[in-house]
Amino acid sequence: MKDDLSGRAGRIGPNAVLQLLPVLEAAGGAALRDEMLDAAGLSTPPSDTGLMDEGPAAAMHRALRRRLPGRAPDLLREAGARTGDYILAHRIPAMAQRVLKLLPPALAAPILAKAIAKHSWTFAGSGAFRVVSTRPLVFELTDNPLIRGETAPHPICVWHEAVFDRLFQTLVDRRLRTREQSCSASGGAVCRFEIARS
């Protein structure tokens, strides 16, 4: 992955918001998009260069879950997939993608996991991300800023699941699926994701 910025506490990649905006507009028109921008305290979309404060991104995700509890998971999943597409188009060099696709999944998956960990500030913000294991492939995100302070009866980090799905399904094995095994919003100590064949 191309790396021209260093992670800073309280900052996150703007795609946490930018890729959600067209999804919101398709779902509820400009009114829903603008309502969510307002809930995030944003008068305009963030710049697509550099990082943004994680607070507004978290506020937008939280506001969507409250405003449309039934539809929010699908909308956030679509935004996560779009974020994955953006990463593939702009952050992972084409040559690296070709190499990963040629490798056996057992070799490609740990390489991609290491790259994700190196650039985790783009989606983890002030949280702490780590690769727990590569067989099985398990990630942990401690103090996930996009759900910090929320409570739910089940895991809610579908945006992260979708980002990981798009990357691993495209570059490693289309049969891979990400499942959030535990979530800090539903009582877990960390948000724990396992990526395995479905």
Side-chain angles (χ1 to χ4, degrees), residues 128-142:
F129 177 85
R130 73 182 185 111
V131 177
V132 177
S133 67
T134 56
R135 289 189 184 181
L137 190 55
V138 177
F139 297 158
E140 283 185 354
L141 178 52
T142 303

Side-chain angles (χ1 to χ4, degrees), residues 65 77 141 144 147 154-162 180 182-184 191 193:
R65 283 189 284 266
R77 190 172 297 281
L141 178 52
N144 180 355
I147 63 158
H154 50 73
I156 60 173
C157 300
V158 296
W159 183 84
H160 287 88
E161 283 182 334
E180 188 177 13
S182 69
C183 180
S184 59
C191 297
F193 305 88

